[in-house]
Amino acid sequence: MAAVTTVNSANRRRMTSLLGKPWSGVAVLLVFYIALIIVFSVLSPFFLSVRNMLSIGQNIAFVGLMAAAGTPLIIAGGLDLSVAAIAGLTGVAISILQGAGLDIWVAVALSLVIAAGVGIVNGLFTTRLRLNPLIVTLGMMSIVSGLSLVLTGGLTRPMMFPTFNWVGQGRVGGIPIPLVIMAVTFVALWVVLTRTRFGRFVYASGGNAEAARLIGIPVDRTIIVLYVISALSGAVAGIILCAMLGAAAPTSAGQYLLTVIAAIILGGTSLNGGRGSVWGTLLAILILGTLNNGLTLLNVSSFWQDVTRGVVLMLAVSLDQIRTRALGD
Amino acid sequence: MTSANTPRLTMKGIGKSFGGVPVLSNVDFTVAPGEVVALLGSNGAGKSTLMKILTGLYTRDGGTIAIDGREVTFASPAEAVAVGVRLLPQEISIMPDMTVAENIFVGDLPMKRSLGFLTVDDGAMRRRSRELLDQLGFGSIDPDTPMKRLAVAEQRIVEIARALAGQARILIMDEPTAALTEQEAHLIFKIIRRLKEQQVSVVYISHYLSEVFEISDQIVVLRDGKNAGTFATAATRQSEVLSAMLGNTVDDLYAVGGGVAPGADVLGVEKLSIPGKLSEIDFSIRAGEILGIFGLVGSGVEVLGRALYGALGPLKDGNVKLAGKTYRPLSPRAGKLAGIGFVAAERKKEGIIADLTVRENMALTFQERYERGLFVSEAAETANANNWISALGIRTRGPEQKIRTLSGGNQQKVCIARWLVDGVQLLILEEPTRGVDVGARKEIYGKLRELADRGFAVLVLSSDVEEVAGLSDRTLVLDRGRVVGRFARGASPAELMAATSDDPAFSAA
């Protein structure tokens, strides 16, 4: 009896000390991702083909882009629920501006400016007025998606311009362009977060805003910039989606918000701020995309896929909580 | 049941250690029914530990506690409350949006059955609140008023009523007058006298000796976790209590100045005022000097340093000169760029970024200095961290250790190291050794002296009288927002403490 207890507690201690390692979060995700690939490869002969892999990439790219930009924002203690709605509005805005006689690329540029403006408003409300970001961006989500419906009367507008559609459908060296954009974003944000002054300010602002302010770090400015980056990522995601579908649909993007937030949290970024990495988010996006794809190949109904995604998210968050305690908080 | 001679509370031979370090040893503490006993001692003497044991927050390692002659052991605060032990913490804790009556009964709401449902009996609650407030002599407070409309002193009174509603027999008041004016403090005294009449026993904790002498029957002094004297208040002079509190031995915690003559004025402050907090503060500090500012909680000692740094935003009243140039406190960033370093009192809340490493925490203040081109050079950060880890004797596994896993003293050294760069001339430290163990305290004092010798002007603001007396080259004493005393090196803790007391008889002694 006593011996058994000793072995158990020794195992537990080994387990806890393993989970307590700083890289363990990303490592757990990586193991899970590889396991997922193995399982689906065994169950479906179509799964492990280049074609299917690229198709997964194509499908996750615009969601991954938003999740990438949302990661530093959540690390800094913010949250952007309006990002997917901005994606929807962007498609609508481009379509309307182009319809009014502007060149398509001028319309694209203007839509980016609009998105940046929305990001600035999010940032100012949360920092200067000290409002809860959940409430501010929830309100903004409602405003932006409402406006998309108002502007289109709820109708989908066709967007068929070969050069524009190429952004969503084209390939460079065999790789879908949306995937290239997502990859570049992840690498750029990784460099910014780990190698620049701004990156340090992000972690400091989220880790302890009060202490950061007291040593003269521009906390508010940092957070406002991150809201703008998040809004811009929404705009680019909207452009990709619109170009992929060949149409601007006001409600096409809203459904992806939950996946964006789920990926960031699944990736180990703390909702309390101060902790997280873009690599965790990337792995989480890959896991969620693979899960979706694999279950589809296995003919599982898409209704079940929502359930599965929820279960994975809750498991991951529980594991992260255990991990955090192991780190001694 | 209980005879008139049975004490309400008897704590005997109480002992408590944390991690092998004894905090209380063999402490006795007795309170009779209807008696007011003041519990005194300087920071770290063991007062709060003793009271946490009494209220069931800590368990004792040794000794016995008896209430009305019956031995008790509390496994939780709820058990202590159940036998009538109530604590009024220093910070007023109320629900601002609830009514006075709701605040009084929130722990034990009177219920009634209406239409088969159990509901709160508002009528009974209001009636009993009125009775309680009348009993205390404050029938003027309406039980239906929202709590936030009351003055701070009235909120205190409601807190006391809440304790009485819970059948308090022993009421512990921790600095009950800290946020109050002198007149308001007298309202509290009036209530304490009523409580005595109702045979409630009061343990009164305060730094203000004049208050203690006005309201208490007995004074119990703790020093270094031991009993250092018990006095009948009426037959005692304040100086006797002070020497019991502070002792006559000067310990060697403090490094003596290196004999470096102070240089030019670094900071000059004239007529600095913040309405309601500071009025017409004048002082100056020179390079190579440690200036101590001592004051009790509420004296302004907790705002003066951060006001100068800029953490309270732009200051309107007063002239400040920094290194000969006019300087207006504006923001932390402006203060930093003007050459001021600031170490805040609440290390966890306002100092460290817990999840970042020692290296990152040290580099954050002047992050731009560690950039090579567009990118941060980790090598430069590491070199800086290693330098200060050895120069300040920071005990860590290395620059990559997360700062939250360091001890308080070592975290504090990191917070100091943040400011040790070219261009910073003035270091402002609030409560530099709060929550720091004795060994690390001595090291921090030594390092502050070294920094002064290297030419920094060091401004220390503290409510720890021994620390200020031991460390400073010169000392200012603050009370109620004013400078009430200026001392040269060598002033004793008792002299500094005496300056805060407005009792003329005592000041003469």
Side-chain angles (χ1 to χ4, degrees):
Chain A
M1 179 66 198
V4 173
T5 324
T6 320
V7 172
N8 272 346
S9 72
N11 272 343
R12 190 171 311 139
R13 215 173 309 125
R14 205 168 305 135
M15 192 67 190
T16 335
S17 78
L18 204 63
L19 284 171
K21 294 274 188 288
W23 41 261
S24 67
V26 174
V28 166
L29 288 175
L30 191 61
V31 169
F32 188 72
Y33 180 50
I34 292 170
L36 213 53
I37 288 181
I38 293 172
V39 169
F40 282 132
S41 309
V42 172
L43 292 179
S44 163
F46 306 107
F47 179 77
L48 203 61
S49 64
V50 173
R51 226 186 108 154
N52 190 47
M53 287 292 137
L54 288 180
S55 143
I56 294 178
Q58 172 96 22
N59 284 326
I60 61 173
F62 68 96
V63 181
L65 182 67
M66 291 188 276
T71 303
L73 177 62
I74 290 183
I75 293 173
L79 176 67
D80 187 0
L81 298 182
S82 65
V83 61
I86 293 172
L89 180 67
T90 303
V92 168
I94 292 172
S95 151
I96 287 177
L97 290 169
Q98 194 276 333
L102 287 178
D103 179 77
I104 181 85
W105 298 110
V106 175
V108 166
L110 278 178
S111 74
L112 290 173
V113 172
I114 293 170
V118 173
I120 289 175
V121 172
N122 277 338
L124 288 177
F125 271 79
T126 50
T127 56
R128 299 279 189 257
L129 294 180
R130 305 268 150 116
L131 295 176
N132 187 322
L134 184 83
I135 293 157
V136 170
T137 61
L138 192 66
M140 188 56 88
M141 175 177 95
S142 190
I143 293 169
V144 169
S145 51
L147 276 178
S148 307
L149 290 169
V150 169
L151 290 171
T152 56
L155 301 174
T156 300
R157 298 167 66 104
M159 291 285 290
M160 295 301 216
F161 309 95
T163 50
F164 177 73
N165 292 119
W166 181 77
V167 173
Q169 298 163 1
R171 294 185 173 217
V172 177
I175 315 277
I177 289 176
L179 196 55
V180 173
I181 295 176
M182 181 190 89
V184 169
T185 307
F186 267 104
V187 171
L189 286 174
W190 169 65
V191 170
V192 167
L193 272 182
T194 55
R195 295 276 172 269
T196 68
R197 191 193 329 174
F198 183 78
R200 292 298 162 76
F201 290 177
V202 169
Y203 282 97
S205 302
N208 189 343
E210 203 45 50
R213 273 195 196 95
L214 272 179
I215 54 176
I217 287 177
V219 174
D220 288 359
R221 200 200 308 156
T222 304
I223 291 175
I224 292 171
V225 169
L226 291 172
Y227 274 108
V228 172
I229 292 176
S230 173
L232 285 176
S233 81
V236 175
I239 292 167
I240 291 173
L241 194 63
C242 186
M244 250 164 72
L245 300 175
T251 55
S252 60
Q255 54 176 315
Y256 297 108
L257 173 67
L258 216 60
T259 312
V260 170
I261 306 292
I264 296 171
I265 295 166
L266 182 58
T269 295
S270 162
L271 266 179
N272 298 323
R275 240 181 284 175
S277 73
V278 287
W279 295 140
T281 303
L282 178 62
L283 274 170
I285 276 288
L286 288 173
I287 288 171
L288 293 175
T290 304
L291 209 55
N292 235 341
N293 174 272
L295 292 175
T296 309
L297 286 180
L298 297 177
N299 280 326
V300 176
S301 118
S302 69
F303 302 148
W304 275 110
Q305 295 181 17
D306 282 350
V307 176
T308 320
R309 190 166 41 206
V311 170
V312 169
L313 180 66
M314 288 176 72
L315 277 179
V317 173
S318 314
L319 198 62
D320 187 58
Q321 185 62 33
I322 295 167
R323 215 169 63 78
T324 311
R325 285 203 202 123
L327 282 169
D329 275 335
Chain B
M1 262 297 285
T2 47
S3 82
N5 298 333
T6 314
R8 173 59 48 78
L9 168 72
T10 314
M11 298 178 85
K12 243 191 161 49
I14 303 293
K16 178 77 186 170
S17 324
F18 292 111
V21 183
V23 180
L24 290 177
S25 47
N26 207 20
V27 171
D28 296 339
F29 187 69
T30 308
V31 187
E35 188 184 37
V36 179
V37 178
L39 180 60
L40 297 184
S42 45
N43 293 348
K47 286 172 303 190
S48 60
T49 308
L50 187 68
M51 289 303 110
K52 280 175 181 165
I53 288 172
L54 177 56
T55 52
L57 222 55
Y58 292 164
T59 53
R60 57 187 188 270
D61 295 346
T64 57
I65 303 178
I67 289 178
D68 291 330
R70 279 190 33 202
E71 229 178 89
V72 289
T73 296
F74 303 131
S76 73
E79 291 181 17
V81 167
V83 299
V85 177
R86 283 281 186 149
L87 171 74
L88 291 190
Q90 189 173 337
E91 295 291 325
I92 291 184
S93 69
I94 52 153
M95 287 115 227
D97 289 307
M98 294 171 82
T99 66
V100 167
E102 285 166 337
N103 266 279
I104 293 176
F105 285 101
V106 68
D108 184 20
L109 291 168
M111 303 302 273
K112 65 170 181 201
R113 222 168 244 294
S114 54
L115 301 173
F117 293 104
L118 212 51
T119 58
V120 175
D121 188 347
D122 283 319
M125 191 162 75
R126 213 170 287 143
R127 200 174 53 247
R128 281 166 60 193
S129 298
R130 196 157 282 143
E131 284 167 17
L132 278 169
L133 291 166
D134 273 340
Q135 246 178 60
L136 291 173
F138 286 87
S140 57
I141 299 176
D142 178 4
D144 288 330
T145 319
M147 202 64 177
K148 62 184 170 196
R149 296 242 193 93
L150 300 186
V152 181
E154 291 174 315
Q155 294 177 347
R156 265 286 183 229
I157 289 158
V158 174
E159 273 194 327
I160 295 172
R162 179 198 291 166
L164 289 183
Q167 306 296 317
R169 289 189 292 173
I170 300 170
L171 194 53
I172 303 158
M173 298 184 171
D174 187 1
E175 300 278 0
T177 62
L180 307 185
T181 65
E182 214 167 325
Q183 271 179 329
E184 290 174 324
H186 279 95
L187 294 182
I188 303 293
F189 297 159
K190 196 176 125 192
I191 288 197
I192 292 177
R193 291 191 187 101
R194 292 256 179 155
L195 293 174
K196 282 170 64 113
E197 288 165 18
Q198 295 168 29
Q199 295 296 295
V200 175
S201 302
V202 176
V203 179
Y204 192 91
I205 302 175
S206 173
H207 276 104
Y208 290 99
L209 277 186
S210 50
E211 285 185 359
V212 165
F213 272 81
E214 177 166 352
I215 196 67
S216 71
D217 303 310
Q218 296 264 342
I219 297 173
V220 173
V221 178
L222 296 185
R223 189 169 81 234
D224 300 331
K226 300 188 185 81
N227 283 94
T230 299
F231 307 89
T233 310
T236 309
R237 293 191 329 160
Q238 291 197 1
S239 57
E240 294 173 63
V241 174
L242 262 185
S243 61
M245 267 172 74
L246 303 173
N248 297 315
T249 53
V250 181
D251 45 31
D252 56 356
L253 267 178
Y254 307 97
V256 183
V260 178
D265 270 5
V266 170
L267 181 77
V269 179
E270 278 176 17
K271 295 200 188 307
L272 179 80
S273 297
I274 300 176
K277 288 177 179 159
L278 295 172
S279 77
E280 311 220 324
I281 305 287
D282 284 319
F283 70 91
S284 67
I285 172 167
R286 298 198 281 175
E289 187 180 43
I290 300 181
L291 177 68
I293 298 190
F294 164 69
L296 300 170
V297 178
S299 65
V301 75
E302 65 280 342
V303 291
L304 178 55
R306 51 185 64 210
L308 285 170
Y309 175 58
L312 299 183
L315 285 194
K316 287 189 227 50
D317 304 333
N319 299 314
V320 184
K321 281 207 153 115
L322 190 64
K325 278 181 274 181
T326 301
Y327 159 75
R328 196 167 79 100
L330 193 66
S331 68
R333 190 168 173 71
K336 171 170 97 169
L337 296 178
I340 302 178
F342 176 71
V343 180
E346 301 286 336
R347 198 163 37 246
K348 258 207 164 109
K349 205 168 133 261
E350 305 179 325
I352 61 168
I353 317 277
D355 281 324
L356 295 188
T357 62
V358 169
R359 161 178 64 80
E360 290 165 328
N361 265 285
M362 272 190 205
L364 261 178
T365 31
F366 294 93
Q367 191 71 55
E368 65 279 5
R369 300 193 188 200
Y370 303 92
E371 281 174 331
R372 303 291 178 266
L374 276 176
F375 301 117
V376 171
S377 158
E378 278 190 25
E381 288 181 333
T382 304
N384 173 67
N386 279 329
N387 174 27
W388 291 117
I389 285 171
S390 70
L392 298 181
I394 300 171
R395 265 175 293 283
T396 162
R397 288 194 302 273
E400 296 309 312
Q401 189 173 357
K402 295 248 153 84
I403 193 169
R404 77 188 134 133
T405 60
L406 265 55
S407 72
N410 287 305
Q411 289 178 351
Q412 188 70 325
K413 288 180 189 171
V414 174
C415 290
I416 294 171
R418 280 176 173 168
W419 299 105
L420 305 180
V421 301
D422 284 342
V424 172
Q425 300 165 287
L426 169 66
L427 286 177
I428 300 177
L429 300 102
E430 288 180 339
E431 307 286 351
T433 62
R434 182 182 283 173
V436 171
D437 66 82
V438 174
R441 274 169 88 146
K442 179 170 179 165
E443 287 177 29
I444 288 174
Y445 294 142
K447 295 303 169 189
L448 289 178
R449 175 55 65 192
E450 270 179 47
L451 293 173
D453 287 348
R454 285 169 54 168
F456 285 98
V458 180
L459 179 60
V460 172
L461 301 109
S462 172
S463 58
D464 181 339
V465 67
E466 292 173 70
E467 170 172 286
V468 176
L471 183 63
S472 316
D473 293 321
R474 285 187 298 129
T475 304
L476 260 56
V477 179
L478 289 187
D479 186 36
R480 286 163 225 262
R482 294 172 187 284
V483 177
V484 294
R486 293 171 196 270
F487 296 87
R489 179 162 194 96
S492 70
E495 284 175 278
L496 300 186
M497 190 62 100
T500 66
S501 164
D502 28 34
D503 183 346
F506 173 57
S507 298

